[in-house]
Amino acid sequence: AVVSTQSTGIEPHLLPITGEKFDLRSANTQNDARLDVSARGVWSTMDKTFLDIRVFNSRAPTNISKPLKSVLIHHEKEKKRAYNARVLEVEKCSFSPIVFSTTGIMG
């Protein structure tokens, strides 16, 4: 997808919570919450998507004995628990976590 710079944002603030309740306690409800990138046209022509990027060390002691795929999935799920419901319900947009290992593997 081609994304124009006029429809992208770096570290955009999320809209404040105005009484919404989320199923997961891990949902980020801070009024100053922000994600890494927002862009239109990522998954469909004019829809806005928020992206949050995480890079983790796959050789760290907490990760070294685990299959790389399961560590990638863990980090993706952690980001989704924190932001997915808020972005869907408050922003009316989509959310995609982007996860990389320090060895260059993408989830």
Side-chain angles (χ1 to χ4, degrees), residues 19-86:
E20 292 85 359
K21 301 290 182 201
F22 303 108
D23 292 339
L24 300 175
R25 288 185 297 173
S26 57
N28 186 324
T29 58
Q30 297 176 349
N31 281 333
D32 62 347
R34 62 174 76 196
L35 290 167
D36 292 326
V37 177
S38 67
R40 291 197 183 276
V42 174
W43 303 121
S44 62
T45 306
M46 287 305 296
D47 289 342
K48 187 174 186 179
T49 301
F50 284 87
L51 305 154
D52 203 50
I53 302 160
R54 174 175 288 176
V55 178
F56 71 93
N57 184 350
S58 57
R59 295 184 178 135
T62 56
N63 297 326
I64 196 77
S65 64
K66 300 173 187 170
L68 185 56
K69 183 171 180 118
S70 68
V71 179
L72 288 162
I73 290 169
H74 166 78
H75 286 292
E76 288 174 353
K77 286 182 177 180
E78 191 173 274
K79 289 288 187 181
K80 285 182 180 180
R81 284 192 302 270
Y83 294 105
N84 197 53
R86 180 174 179 165

